[in-house]
Amino acid sequence: FSLKELHGIFPWLVESIFGSLDGIIVGWNLRCLQGKTNPTEYPVALDFLDPSGPMMKLVYKLQAEEYRYDFPVSYLPGPVKASIQEQVLPECSLYHNKVQLPSSGGLGLNLALNPFEYYMFYFAISLITQKNLPITHHVSPSNSAYFILVDAYLKCFLPTEGSVLPPPYSNPGGAIPSPTPRSPPVPFTSYGMHHTSLLKRHIAHQPSVNADPASQEIWRSETLLQIFVEMWLHHYSLEMYQKMQSPHVKLEVLHYRLSISSKHHGSPAQSGYQALHAYQESFKPTEEHVLVVRLLVKHLHAFSNSLKPEPLSPSAHSHSASPLEEFKRVVIPRFVQEKLYIFLQHCFGHWPLDASFRAVLEMWLSYLQPWRYAPEKPPQSAESLPRSVSEKWAVFIQENLLMYTKLFIGFLNRALRTDLVSPKNALMVFRVSKVFAQPNLAEMILKGEQLFLEPELVIPHRQHRFFMTPTLGGSFLSWPPTITDASFKVKSHVYSLEGQDFQYKQMFGTEVRSLVLKLAQLICQAQQTAKSISDHSAETTASQSFFSWFRFTPLEMNGSYTGNDLDEIGQDSIKKTDEYLEKALEYLCQIFKLNEAQLTQMMMKCGTAQDENGKKQLPDCVESEDGLILTPLGRYQIINGLRRFEVQYQGDTELQPIRSYENATLVRLLFRLSSALNERFADQMDTLCSREDFVGRLCRYHLINPHLTQKIRYSPVVKDRTSQNWGPRISLRFLASYRTLLSLLMVYFIASWFCIGPVGCTFIILAGYFLYAVIITFFFEGWKPHEH
C-alpha cells in the first residue's frame, strides 16, 4: 500500500488491536491471550507485534514521513489531563509542543503524536483502560501476550548489551523538520524548571528516523520509557501531585486560576473548583498492573547495571561515552524514582489487607535490590550463606533512602493490622525481614540516615526540586558538576520527594523500634494461635468417628466455630506458618539488634496468657470500674480472629435463632409439636422428674434444662415455671438438624438393605436412643439422686 493509504489505515488498525480508549472496542484482548488457551492466535499476535514484526515496520515506514495522529487529552491520566486543561504544561517533555486545539470544531484538546508515540501510547494505556474486561478462565498475567510484548519492547529499546537496532526504513533526503501545527497551539504556562530530554534536540522535534546519530540512538528508548512511566505510574491524588511540584509552580498555577476566574465562561480552561475534582482520580491498580511495573523495574535495574565502567581519564569519558551509556546512568533517578515512590506510597496506603498485596511487596523488594540484577554472580561455594551487600551500592541506598525507610515503616503499619496466622501474610513478613536482614544492608541504611541528620553547615539555600534538575532549557550536557557531598545528596533526595517541611522518622529510632517490638509480640501470639489451632484440629480429627454421626443430641446448639483458615489448609501450611514467623522474628532481631531477654519475656507473657488448657485466650483487656475494656491490641485480636470472648446463648434453647445447619421449616413444625406435648403432659413429666429412682434420674437429665433451672433459682422475681415453659419438657428441635436427618436416612438405608422395613427401622432407632439415654444417665448422673 502507498503511504497515503497506510496513513488512513494506521489509527483504525491500532484501535482494532489495543481496543478503544473508552473501552467499547475490546480489540485483541492481549491481556487474556495465552499460549495454553489460545494456541493459534497467541504466536500469530506475538509475531505481528514483535519489535521487528510487520506492525513496527509499518510504524517506522510512517515515521519516515511527517504524519501526526491525534490522541485525546481527556484519556490521559487524571493529574496530567487536568494540568493540560488548565493550560499548565506537565514537567515531562513528552507533552511539550504537542498539544493542539481541535482541528475541525471538535471538543477537547488533542496531542499531535508521531506514529511511534501514537502506537506506544495505545499499547501502554490499554493496561489501564481494559482492566475490567470479562475473563472466562483463569489467566496468569506473567504468561499473557501483553506481558511478553512488554518484555520484548524493553529488551529491544533498552538493551543491556549492544545498542538499539536501527529502524529498517530510512529517508535518504535527510532529517525532516517538525511539521507545522494544523491549528494554533494553546498558550501554556511553563512549569519553569522541568525535566528536559536527554537529547540535544528536543524529542518533540524528532519525527524522522534518520536524524543525527547521537540522538537517533536513544530517542525511541527515551520515548518508550517516558510513555510507560507516564501511563503506569502517573495516577495519584491531587495532594500527591502537588507535592511533586515546586513552590513557584504552585504560585504560577494559583495566579493563573485567579486570572481566568474573571474571564468569560467560553474559555477552554476549567475553573479552579472543576480542576480540583478533575485531579481527584479514583485509581485502583490491579495485580496485573503491578506485575507489569515490576517487570519494568527489574529490566531498568539490569539496563542501568549494564553501564560500562568509567574510564580512568575524565577527558576520555566525556568524549567516548555514548548517549545510550549516559541514558543508563540517569534512567532510574531522573525518570522512575519519583513516580515509583509515589505509586508505592499509594499502594501501601490503599491496597486491601489481604494476600494480593504480595505483588506490590515483590515489586518494592525488586527495586530495593539492584544487586540482584547486576552482571556479576555470587560464587558457587557461597550459595548456602546470605550474600553480603557490597559497599558500592551505598550510593544507591543513600539516593533512595525513603524507599527503604519510609516504605518499611508503612509495611510495619500494614503488618500490625493483618492476621499473621495466615501463611500468606506470614510469608510477606518473612520476605521483607529476610531482604532487610542481608549482611551490611542495615548498616548502610543507618549510615544514610546519619548523613541526612547531619547539620547543614555550608549547604546553600535550597529550593524544592532544585537538586536533581538541569538548568532551564538545557540538556544533560548542561547539568551542574557531580555533587560529591554524600550528605547533600541524601538531603536532596528526601527534600525533592517530600518537600522542605518534611518531618523525617528514623527507621532505627525509638518510635519505629517500638513498632517492631509490637510486631514481634504479634508474631509470638500468632505462633501460639497456630499451635493451638493445630492441636485443636488434631484432637477433632482423632475424636471423629463413624458412630459420631448417630449421636442424637442437642448439645451442639450452644457451640460456635472457633477455627481459622488453617483448618481448611492443613497441617503442612501450619508448619510453614510457624517456620515463616520463626525466621521473620530471627531476622528482625538481626536488623534492629533486639534484646534476647526482652523477647524471651515477651514470649513467656504470650504463653501465660493462655488458660489451663492452653487453647482459649481472652483478648487483651484492662480492668476498669465498668468491667473489662478492650485495648487496641485486643481489638486487633478480635478483628483478625486471633482471640475471642466465650459468648454463649443464655436464653431459652428452644427460642434460639435458626442455625445454618438446621431446616427452618422443620424447626418451626417441631417447636409447635413440642409445645403441644409439653402443654398436654406437663403434670405427668413434673411427677416423673420428682421421683427418686432411676426413672426420675433419667427424666431429670433429659427433660430439665439445668441452665434455665439455675436461672430461675437465682432470679429475684418468682416466675411460674409452667407458664414460662421452663420446667420438665420435651425438645424435638435436634430432629431438624441436617446431620440428624442424614443419620436417619443412613439407618433407613441400612435397614432396607436387610429388609427390616420402616416399622422395624423406627423400633431400632427408638430402642437405640433409649439405650443411649440410659448409658448417658448412668455415667453422668451416677446412682445418687440428682439435685437441681
Side-chain angles (χ1 to χ4, degrees), residues 701-751:
Y701 185 81
H702 293 280
L703 298 180
I704 294 180
N705 190 324
H707 171 71
L708 293 181
T709 305
Q710 187 178 15
K711 187 174 181 179
I712 296 171
R713 174 179 294 181
Y714 293 102
S715 176
V717 181
V718 179
K719 299 181 180 179
D720 182 11
R721 288 165 52 188
T722 305
S723 62
Q724 294 291 337
N725 200 16
W726 284 356
R729 59 181 181 174
I730 297 174
S731 176
L732 300 176
R733 181 167 177 170
F734 69 95
L735 295 173
S737 171
Y738 288 115
R739 192 179 74 174
T740 304
L741 294 175
L742 181 60
S743 302
L744 291 173
L745 289 176
M746 292 175 64
V747 170
Y748 272 101
F749 175 76
I750 295 173

Side-chain angles (χ1 to χ4, degrees), residues 367-642:
Y367 183 81
L368 298 186
Q369 302 177 87
W371 46 87
R372 291 184 56 190
Y373 313 100
E376 66 269 9
K377 300 295 182 182
Q380 297 294 328
S381 59
E383 289 183 357
S384 58
L385 299 176
R387 184 183 178 186
S388 178
V389 181
S390 174
E391 286 291 338
K392 74 174 186 177
W393 299 108
V395 177
F396 177 86
I397 294 171
Q398 293 167 8
E399 294 179 352
N400 294 270
L401 184 63
L402 291 178
M403 287 283 194
Y404 290 89
T405 59
K406 188 172 181 181
L407 293 183
F408 179 81
I409 298 172
F411 174 77
L412 278 181
N413 291 325
R414 286 186 61 93
L416 290 172
R417 303 196 303 272
T418 55
D419 180 12
L420 299 183
V421 183
S422 171
K424 295 180 180 179
N425 293 333
L427 175 60
M428 288 192 283
V429 177
F430 163 74
R431 288 283 297 123
V432 174
S433 58
K434 181 181 180 181
V435 168
F436 278 84
Q438 295 178 82
N440 204 30
L441 178 58
E443 288 76 7
M444 286 192 285
I445 296 175
L446 180 59
K447 176 63 177 176
E449 288 193 323
Q450 292 172 350
L451 290 173
F452 174 75
L453 297 174
E454 282 184 1
E456 304 179 20
L457 299 177
V458 203
I459 298 179
H461 177 66
R462 290 188 304 264
Q463 286 188 355
H464 186 46
R465 294 180 54 82
F466 175 75
F467 306 93
M468 300 300 293
T469 54
T471 56
L472 177 59
S475 67
F476 69 91
L477 298 177
S478 63
W479 276 42
T482 304
I483 304 172
T484 57
D485 183 14
S487 175
F488 185 76
K489 284 184 177 181
V490 178
K491 294 176 188 293
S492 66
H493 156 70
V494 173
Y495 291 137
S496 63
L497 292 183
E498 292 289 347
Q500 293 288 331
D501 55 349
F502 175 62
Q503 299 295 326
Y504 184 76
K505 184 183 295 185
Q506 299 183 52
M507 176 176 168
F508 295 96
T510 56
E511 186 176 351
V512 178
R513 188 179 180 86
S514 64
L515 291 178
V516 174
L517 288 175
K518 288 183 181 179
L519 179 60
Q521 184 178 5
L522 288 179
I523 289 175
C524 295
Q525 293 174 354
Q527 286 179 305
Q528 295 287 347
T529 305
K531 183 177 182 302
S532 300
I533 295 173
S534 176
D535 296 342
H536 175 73
S537 300
E539 290 182 5
T540 304
T541 304
S543 63
Q544 287 179 348
S545 62
F546 176 78
F547 293 100
S548 64
W549 284 85
F550 298 93
R551 192 177 58 189
F552 305 141
T553 172
L555 296 177
E556 64 184 5
M557 284 299 195
N558 282 326
S560 60
Y561 178 73
T562 61
N564 189 277
D565 60 345
L566 296 176
D567 291 335
E568 300 178 0
I569 297 175
Q571 295 293 324
D572 293 338
S573 295
I574 297 177
K575 293 179 181 178
K576 287 183 179 180
T577 300
D578 188 64
E579 292 176 2
Y580 291 148
L581 295 178
E582 184 177 356
K583 294 297 292 183
L585 192 59
E586 178 183 340
Y587 288 139
L588 289 175
C589 293
Q590 295 177 11
I591 298 168
F592 293 93
K593 307 294 189 295
L594 298 181
N595 191 354
E596 294 184 3
Q598 193 175 16
L599 287 178
T600 304
Q601 182 180 3
M602 187 184 304
M603 296 183 69
M604 290 177 61
K605 182 180 178 181
C606 294
T608 56
Q610 294 181 323
D611 64 359
E612 64 276 5
N613 295 326
K615 299 172 186 175
K616 299 179 181 178
Q617 302 180 32
L618 293 180
D620 193 61
C621 303
V622 294
E623 289 283 353
S624 68
E625 297 179 356
D626 301 327
L628 295 177
I629 296 180
L630 283 173
T631 63
L633 176 60
R635 286 193 291 270
Y636 161 82
Q637 293 166 343
I638 290 180
I639 291 173
N640 293 280
L642 300 179

Side-chain angles (χ1 to χ4, degrees), residues 12 36 43 97 136 138 159 188 211 227 299 305 366 382 524 570 613 690 757:
W12 166 84
K36 293 182 179 180
N97 302 323
T136 56
H138 177 69
F188 276 82
I227 291 174
H299 185 84
N305 290 330
S366 296
C524 295
N613 295 326
S690 61

Side-chain angles (χ1 to χ4, degrees), residues 28 33 47 51 54 142 178 226 266 313 318 325 443 466 482 499 502 508 581 584 684 701 706 715 753:
W28 292 3
L33 193 63
D47 291 340
S142 58
S178 178
Q226 284 184 329
S313 172
S318 60
E325 294 297 307
E443 288 76 7
F466 175 75
T482 304
F502 175 62
F508 295 96
L581 295 178
Q684 290 85 334
Y701 185 81
S715 176
W753 180 266

